Amino acid sequence: MDERLMSAEPIEEDVEVVATLRPTSLATFVGQAQLRQRLGISVSAARERGEPLEHVLFSGPPGLGKTTLAGIIATEMGGKLITTSGPALEKTADLMGILTNLQEGDILFIDEIHRIPRTVEEYLYSAMEDFAVDFVLDKGPFAKAIRLTLKRFTLVGATTRHGLLSSPLRDRFGLYFHLDFYEPDELGTIIERSAGVLDVPITREAAWELACRSRGTPRIANRLLRRVRDFTQVRGQGSIDLASAREALELEGVDALGLDDLDRKVLSTIIARYDGGPVGIEALAATIQQEVDTLTDVVEPYLLQAGFLTRTQAGRKATYKAFEHLKLEGLKPSTAQPQLPLE
């Protein structure tokens, strides 16, 4: 199975389809109930005052709706959405060009904002607080500082690693929201809505089966739905029922708890090669020939949340739940003893 399937990163050929599946208002956004309520109050208050919304920071694992919420904020506030990412802002000139072209009420969305270079990030401080930027012309004795006033805008930042944000940047956001993994019933509602948009019939049982295998992530739920749709179109009757959904997911390598080949490889390596752990993330990545960022950003969040993995000061450890689940998959770690999760 292509390991991109369960990755929360979007695939290029799916961009247009993903865009059609995204909700465009808070009323149609499913899940994150407390977040929707708090954000809705702030948006309504800002609209009544005729002011731009305060700067917003979203954090959480990939695929939970941070980009979608940025688009919803732009729609609700009636502003234009300008999108960029932290790694794309390599030079000060890149950020300055974007800031000086913003209009009153525009929404600037910076994905992976923690990856902005520090020298570029410092220009955001005055832009966020004072809606102005200071830059220096010439050098040495001819240097001259110039302050350029900006239109009032809203910065929406998204990060998968909240801890990597510098304190000066983090403290300048007026609104902060952390997105959690979704419950199966919420994902089931999302899948049924997406099936309607894709014009593919699906039974409630099949939607629930997909929801339970989607790792609590809407992006993965929609991706699995498209793969099951393809399967039923070619080998089924065109509609998705429970039997066809299970057969398609088994073919994709997604088990009953949503683990894919990479997840099982991580857990089985910890159990069979490192006696259940602890093992450092660098050693684990080298053993299974994966990037450390892939493990920490894509694999670990769900394994930790689902109780298959724990973090300790000495490294990662597989829990007793991981041992039991992998036994069902046919793995028999003879040399390892089950490890209970540690606080």
Side-chain angles (χ1 to χ4, degrees), residues 16-297:
E16 289 189 13
V17 177
V18 169
T20 62
L21 299 181
R22 283 179 174 158
T24 57
S25 67
L26 284 174
T28 57
F29 188 90
V30 178
Q32 313 292 340
Q34 186 179 20
L35 181 154
R36 284 189 291 115
Q37 184 176 2
R38 290 171 54 200
L39 182 59
I41 291 173
S42 297
V43 168
S44 298
R47 280 204 311 254
E48 289 179 7
R49 293 192 301 267
E51 299 175 355
L53 183 67
E54 286 191 77
H55 304 302
V56 185
L57 178 64
F58 294 117
S59 71
L64 298 187
K66 298 185 290 293
T67 303
T68 298
L69 285 168
I72 288 175
I73 289 174
T75 301
E76 299 277 359
M77 294 299 300
K80 182 180 178 182
L81 179 67
I82 293 89
T83 301
T84 186
S85 65
L89 301 174
E90 297 180 350
K91 302 177 181 178
T92 303
D94 299 331
L95 178 62
M96 293 289 291
I98 294 175
L99 292 176
T100 54
N101 283 291
L102 291 175
Q103 301 301 312
E104 187 80 16
D106 281 353
I107 310 297
L108 173 60
F109 175 62
I110 304 181
D111 197 12
E112 297 299 317
I113 193 171
H114 63 273
R115 296 178 62 184
I116 296 180
R118 183 57 59 88
T119 54
V120 178
E121 176 186 307
E122 291 173 353
Y123 279 85
L124 275 177
Y125 300 160
S126 60
M128 295 173 69
E129 272 193 326
D130 306 322
F131 296 102
V133 288
D134 299 307
F135 61 96
V136 179
L137 294 178
D138 294 330
K139 297 181 180 180
F142 301 102
K144 185 178 181 181
I146 297 178
R147 167 158 284 210
L148 183 63
T149 303
L150 304 174
K151 302 288 180 62
R152 292 177 64 85
F153 68 98
T154 297
L155 174 63
V156 179
T159 177
T160 55
R161 295 190 181 184
H162 179 259
L164 295 184
L165 282 176
S166 65
S167 295
L169 178 60
R170 183 171 57 246
D171 294 343
R172 283 170 169 79
F173 286 97
L175 298 170
Y176 167 67
F177 303 100
H178 178 76
L179 281 73
D180 294 317
F181 288 105
Y182 288 62
E183 296 296 329
D185 58 338
E186 296 171 338
L187 289 173
T189 302
I190 292 173
I191 289 170
E192 289 180 333
R193 174 189 176 276
S194 298
V197 173
L198 295 174
D199 195 24
V200 52
I202 186 171
T203 65
R204 186 171 296 273
E205 294 79 8
W208 177 262
E209 186 72 16
L210 282 171
C212 291
R213 302 193 188 201
S214 297
R215 303 163 62 92
T217 306
R219 184 181 292 166
I220 293 175
N222 285 327
R223 190 175 300 168
L224 290 179
L225 173 63
R226 297 195 299 274
R227 301 292 74 79
V228 174
R229 175 197 61 177
D230 295 344
F231 178 87
T232 55
Q233 179 180 334
V234 174
R235 297 190 181 181
Q237 302 298 321
S239 61
I240 302 175
D241 57 18
L242 181 58
S244 62
R246 285 178 174 173
E247 188 176 356
L249 292 171
E250 182 179 352
L251 182 64
E252 295 290 348
V254 181
D255 65 26
L257 296 183
L259 304 189
D260 65 0
D261 291 339
L262 182 56
D263 299 318
R264 291 190 292 270
K265 187 176 183 180
V266 167
L267 293 176
S268 62
T269 299
I270 294 175
I271 292 172
R273 297 286 297 274
Y274 296 99
D275 294 339
V279 55
I281 189 64
E282 291 83 5
L284 180 60
T287 302
I288 63 176
Q289 297 181 352
Q290 289 288 335
E291 295 292 333
V292 172
D293 288 346
T294 300
L295 299 186
T296 55
D297 293 344

